[in-house]
Amino acid sequence: VSENLVQAEEQDNTDNDAKVLSPVASEEEYESAMRLTKEKVSIHQLINFDKQPDSPVKVSIVVPVCNVEQYLRECLDSCINQTLREIEIICVNDGSSDGCLDILLEYAEKDERVKVIDKDNAGYGHTMNIGMDMAKGEYIGIVESDDFVELNMYEELYKVAKENDLDLVKADFYRFYGSKDNYKLNYFKTARKDEYYNIIIDPSENIECFRFIMNTWSGIYNKAFLVSKGIRHNETPGASFQDNGFWFKTFAEASRIMFLDTPFYMNRRDNPNSSVYNPQKVFCGNDEYKYIRNYLLSRPELFDKFIYIFSQKRYHTYLFTLNRIAPELKKDYLHIFANDFIEANKNGELNQAFFTKKEWETLHWIMRDPDEFYYNSYLKRIKISVILTVYNVEPYLIECMESLLAQTFKNFEVICIDDGSTDNSYNILFDYSLKDSRVKVYHTENKGAGAARNFGLTMAYGEYVLFLDSDDYFDKNMLKEAYTKALVTDSDICIYKSKQLDSLTGKISDCTFSVKERFLPKKDVFSLEDISDNPFTSIMGWVWDKLYKRSFLVNNELKFQEQRTSNDMYFAFASLLRAGKITILNKYLYYQRRNVPTSLSNTRALSWECFYHALEAVRHELKKMGIYDAYKRDFINYALHSCLWNINTLPQEQANLLFIKLKSEWFENLEIADYGPEFYQNRSEYEHFLDIINTVDDGGYWSYKINRLTREVDRLTDPNRLIKVSSKESLTIDSMVEKLEWNREQKKILEKKLREQNSEKSASKNVKESGEYKSLATQRNELKNQVDQLNYTLSEIWNSKSYKIGRFFTWLPRKIRGLFKKNK
């Protein structure tokens, strides 16, 4: 990684030695720079630039646009409705692949002041330069296309700029997140200190200005000032940090700046596509500060005046980059960080007076020993990384987060991956991130918990890792107890116990099947091969009740399957199989919510086939490790158990699809069909398997289900067993009767569907010949066959001798039970 990073940086240095215009750019030089920008990529359309305004343009608003379709209308509405009417809105479409261009053309047709430049993608710097080059206004403003502005912003800024002959004027702003009807606002003071507001400032005489918040969009700039000083954006690829150079140059060149203590600008902080959230853009900040340094070198008088504050700003940008990039890059980035500042120190570019005491100490620690800084600041500091995947869990998320942040163990981070939530989940997380620095929030497109967990793992650098579900909550001592147990035993995996909360009834009960301790060895630390029974059924294949040593996961390159459901089965079993040390913590620390309507476990019908792909992945892992033969019987028994559990818990439509798959392919693929009854650890499950493969295809899933019920009734009404019938047994028979009654209800549903489709048939004479009708006819025939099969099978059951004998012998116990229920 280190060699690749160094090579990448060297390449960036070669590619990004940008030419800097001379101190006071000549007209010829500036026109040359404009021409190079214009010729860099293809420009496809120029809209409304041929229209002449009725009066001179006072402010040109440049709006860079790239894939912000969901925010763009709000941005444009705030621009075209400005109280200052003598404006133009130059929208530069930087190769958007969504619907942005259509929106821009729509607004341009309605308002001639909206001008559109449609070009190939070339990055933020190029987009801003071409927009400013085409601007006709006396002043230039910038509005990012996912932000918006107050309607009086440019009238107020222009008035102050003209009255005071300013090079630029900036104002305070809000950062916000949330939906349009429920924005959460945070006020930011651009100048930080009150004494710097509403007065004219020369930055060269007030270096403190360079410590103010760095942004380019909360003000307006005199275009003549920008042109005369040759101030342009750096045209590096992408959309990161190019505003840093523009900001620094405007402050270094300006002599008349003013700050207003009124907020006009609304800066969005929850756009998941914002470049500040992209951890892959490692060297963008480094490149920009090389560009700024080259600029200062071209102006010796500016270099001498501003090099110390430049180094301080550079330090903060490098530190920001260090904190946002992936953990596996941090150590190597620190070496580049150290080398750049060691070189700066040799060149006399560092001055302690420009740093706080803590900044100066941190910088020299990095320069002296970046490895030691990495160990103490990242590895040693964080003991546990909690990875929390979030998708539309607004009703439960606050309780989850509160129980996490109330932990008695404090040395942890919470990496929240919002997996494209459409409710208020992201806003809740963002609110917590503002309150507690341990909470780090990332927003991704919806790809499922597996992909979200994999991303979270790349961002984690705790000694141990937890993967938690965001609709659950936790005992306040969960992290403390689990970490202590794992540390004392030096375990790869520590498994703790859990309770289940039924969301419908509110009842809390012990989860007794997550770990079957009677099959585990009587020692504190063990491996999977020490388990006396089937290890796949002795420990549940989920991850939220397990604390993992991160180095163990990274060294074994363990990843989650990126599928909608059953994404943790492979990860859970692959890690258990590879773990040398597993320990059990005999304490109930986790509260798992059951019967949550929106949870993945309750919507498995949408991805019913995922469990099979998980089983295949586990089998592949066993073969890759060379231990398949040793675990073959256990795995195949577990595979059968998993298949049967799914077919018996899925809705009817998906259960029928699964029935077909199992019978035609999957039982054979999983080798379940290769063995006889002696191979299977559960005789009843083997009989289920036989029922499926022996069911006549025409009857399908329903034949299988009714055959199962018939077999169970026959078992319960066997005359040899009825002599010993007990009240408990009679309840079991009643249970079967209830199931048969349920089948009757299903029959009614099928008949209703049949009637509805017959009604649809008579609704139109012309529909009969259509493909839609033929499809309905096929469905109707299938339903009719199912109804006929149900009628026949139910008739056999109700009229069978065994069923009648069972009802006769159990009449008295059932009568007693009925009286008991009535009295109760």
Side-chain angles (χ1 to χ4, degrees), residues 772-790:
E772 181 183 359
Y773 171 77
K774 291 175 182 178
S775 174
L776 288 172
T778 301
Q779 293 178 36
R780 188 163 54 252
N781 289 333
E782 290 176 355
L783 287 171
K784 187 175 185 305
N785 288 336
Q786 290 184 33
V787 170
D788 292 342
Q789 181 68 32
L790 273 170

Side-chain angles (χ1 to χ4, degrees), residues 308 361 380 692:
Y308 296 146
E361 290 174 353
K380 187 177 178 182
I692 292 174

Side-chain angles (χ1 to χ4, degrees), residues 17 107 196 229 285 313 319 486 591 639 648 673 683 699 725 797:
D17 285 338
Y107 275 79
Y196 286 101
K229 300 298 183 180
K313 301 296 286 186
L319 205 61
Y591 291 83
N648 287 315
R683 182 61 182 241
V725 161
I797 292 172

Side-chain angles (χ1 to χ4, degrees), residues 436-469:
D436 195 317
S437 61
R438 295 174 298 176
V439 178
K440 301 166 185 177
V441 181
Y442 300 90
H443 184 98
T444 63
E445 294 179 11
N446 181 247
K447 295 180 180 179
R453 284 166 169 164
N454 285 336
F455 176 74
L457 189 56
T458 66
M459 304 307 293
Y461 49 82
E463 185 181 359
Y464 285 85
V465 178
L466 269 177
F467 302 96
L468 304 181
D469 287 349

Side-chain angles (χ1 to χ4, degrees), residues 553-609:
L553 298 179
V554 173
N555 292 341
N556 285 282
E557 299 180 343
L558 290 166
K559 301 287 184 184
F560 289 84
Q561 279 185 287
E562 298 193 358
Q563 56 184 27
R564 185 176 181 275
T565 48
S566 300
N567 58 75
D568 56 350
M569 181 199 294
Y570 162 76
F571 186 95
F573 286 131
S575 58
L576 287 167
L577 287 164
R578 291 183 175 275
K581 293 182 177 181
I582 304 169
T583 191
I584 303 295
L585 176 58
N586 193 23
K587 293 187 178 182
Y588 291 93
L589 302 172
Y590 194 101
Y591 291 83
Q592 184 203 24
R593 230 179 266 276
R594 307 291 288 176
N595 293 320
V596 176
T598 56
S599 73
L600 288 179
S601 61
N602 274 354
T603 58
R604 283 183 301 115
L606 300 175
S607 50
W608 58 271
E609 73 285 357

Side-chain angles (χ1 to χ4, degrees), residues 7-177:
Q7 289 175 352
E9 189 199 28
E10 289 173 351
Q11 182 65 41
D12 285 345
N13 290 343
T14 303
D15 294 343
N16 294 311
D17 285 338
K19 293 182 179 179
V20 178
L21 296 177
S22 59
V24 178
S26 68
E27 185 177 344
E28 182 181 344
E29 285 180 313
Y30 203 84
E31 287 180 355
S32 175
M34 290 171 61
R35 185 173 62 257
L36 289 173
T37 293
K38 189 173 182 180
E39 294 173 353
K40 192 169 187 177
V41 298
S42 296
I43 297 176
H44 305 292
Q45 298 183 74
L46 292 174
I47 308 297
N48 283 345
F49 283 93
D50 57 336
K51 306 291 175 61
Q52 296 300 319
D54 295 334
S55 55
V57 177
K58 294 179 178 179
V59 177
S60 295
I61 305 171
V62 179
V63 183
V65 178
C66 186
N67 294 338
V68 287
E69 180 180 9
Q70 68 186 105
Y71 311 118
L72 186 54
R73 290 183 184 278
E74 185 174 30
C75 171
L76 294 177
D77 287 340
S78 73
C79 293
I80 64 175
N81 291 307
Q82 288 290 305
T83 55
L84 180 67
R85 304 306 296 171
E86 298 92 338
I87 61 173
E88 62 177 358
I89 301 128
I90 301 176
C91 303
V92 190
N93 182 45
D94 190 32
S96 295
S97 57
D98 61 1
C100 284
L101 180 58
D102 291 337
I103 294 173
L104 294 178
L105 296 178
E106 173 194 328
Y107 275 79
E109 187 171 347
K110 291 189 295 186
D111 192 328
E112 291 183 354
R113 297 175 305 164
V114 177
K115 302 179 178 181
V116 179
I117 303 172
D118 179 29
K119 69 180 186 69
D120 287 343
N121 182 270
Y124 180 86
H126 179 269
T127 299
M128 288 305 306
N129 283 344
I130 201 166
M132 289 182 170
D133 290 345
M134 299 288 282
K136 302 299 182 184
E138 188 180 353
Y139 282 83
I140 291 177
I142 301 167
V143 180
E144 305 289 354
S145 48
D146 53 355
D147 298 340
F148 64 95
V149 293
E150 296 289 352
L151 300 185
N152 64 335
M153 174 172 173
Y154 291 108
E155 181 177 21
E156 296 298 325
L157 293 181
Y158 179 78
K159 181 171 66 176
V160 171
K162 286 294 290 180
E163 288 175 354
N164 296 280
D165 189 24
L166 301 175
D167 297 322
L168 63 100
V169 56
K170 310 198 85 171
D172 290 347
F173 62 95
Y174 287 108
R175 283 186 173 143
F176 75 95
Y177 63 96

